[in-house]
Amino acid sequence: LGLVVGFGAALVGTLVVLVVKPLGLDIPWAAWIGLFLANWIGNGGILVPIPGLRFVGWTMAAHQGAEGPTILVGLVAGLAMALGQTSFYLTAAAGSDHLKQSGTGRDREGRLVAAMQKVKAAIEGFLHDHGIPTIFTLSLVPNPFMTFASITAATMGMGFREFLAANFLGHVVLGLILALFGQWLLGTAL
């Protein structure tokens, strides 16, 4: 976990040194690192759900979109969200053979499990019929189902490149929308 968090911080630090500082933009280091980590972890970067952190990341993108370079804030937030969801895809892809052999847990009882099975079946149907547009749309719209879609895409055999492209584009557009919303609501930076 420490290695992953360190890598994320190093990536953001490198971005700040190579892009933000030469442009003379003035957002503190901690804000960039916080923006990246909140969106990365909030979208599953460490594979442990932390309730509310995804919303905090979205709020940070909107707030920092008003304070600094809106487009760059949106790109950093979107990249972090996409990388976070990618960890679910990669983990599910690595364990998909085991999941197929062990079954899906349909023999368990309970309303929550039944509801989750319905969500999974709906996402599987959408992915089967409209693979890449489904991932793009779920990435673009803030919702709790993207994690299920990432896992389901991997277990259904969607190619990593297709998943990554749709996931990245959807989350970057979402990051830009959040940053532009913050700029419109709170400030005038572009």
Side-chain angles (χ1 to χ4, degrees):
L1 173 64
L3 179 63
V4 174
V5 172
F7 177 77
L11 181 65
V12 172
T14 302
L15 178 69
V16 170
V17 169
L18 295 178
V19 177
V20 176
K21 290 287 185 183
L23 293 176
L25 304 172
D26 188 26
I27 292 184
W29 283 77
W32 286 105
I33 293 170
L35 175 68
F36 183 88
L37 290 178
N39 281 288
W40 179 66
I41 294 170
N43 280 273
I46 59 172
L47 298 174
V48 177
I50 300 174
L53 190 56
R54 189 175 290 184
F55 180 74
V56 169
W58 296 336
T59 304
M60 289 177 72
H63 182 265
Q64 288 181 356
E67 297 289 321
T70 306
I71 303 301
L72 189 56
V73 167
L75 290 173
V76 169
L79 175 66
M81 288 185 257
L83 289 174
Q85 284 298 321
T86 300
S87 63
F88 284 121
Y89 175 93
L90 293 173
T91 302
S96 66
D97 290 336
H98 174 71
L99 289 172
K100 289 175 185 171
Q101 292 172 358
S102 67
T104 59
R106 293 174 197 234
D107 55 341
R108 297 181 191 155
E109 295 183 30
R111 286 187 225 171
L112 181 60
V113 171
M116 297 304 284
Q117 290 298 329
K118 288 180 183 178
V119 169
K120 181 180 179 278
I123 290 174
E124 281 179 345
F126 280 116
L127 283 171
H128 184 267
D129 296 341
H130 314 286
I132 292 173
T134 300
I135 296 297
F136 175 79
T137 302
L138 288 173
S139 297
L140 177 63
V141 179
N143 68 79
F145 303 113
M146 185 57 207
T147 299
F148 295 114
S150 298
I151 293 167
T152 304
T155 59
M156 288 181 63
M158 176 184 268
F160 180 67
R161 288 181 184 159
E162 291 84 6
F163 171 81
L164 188 61
N167 176 40
F168 178 74
L169 287 175
H171 278 108
V172 165
V173 171
L174 173 60
L176 290 170
I177 289 170
L178 291 168
L180 288 167
F181 175 73
Q183 184 270 330
W184 172 77
L185 187 66
L186 303 171
T188 58
L190 273 179

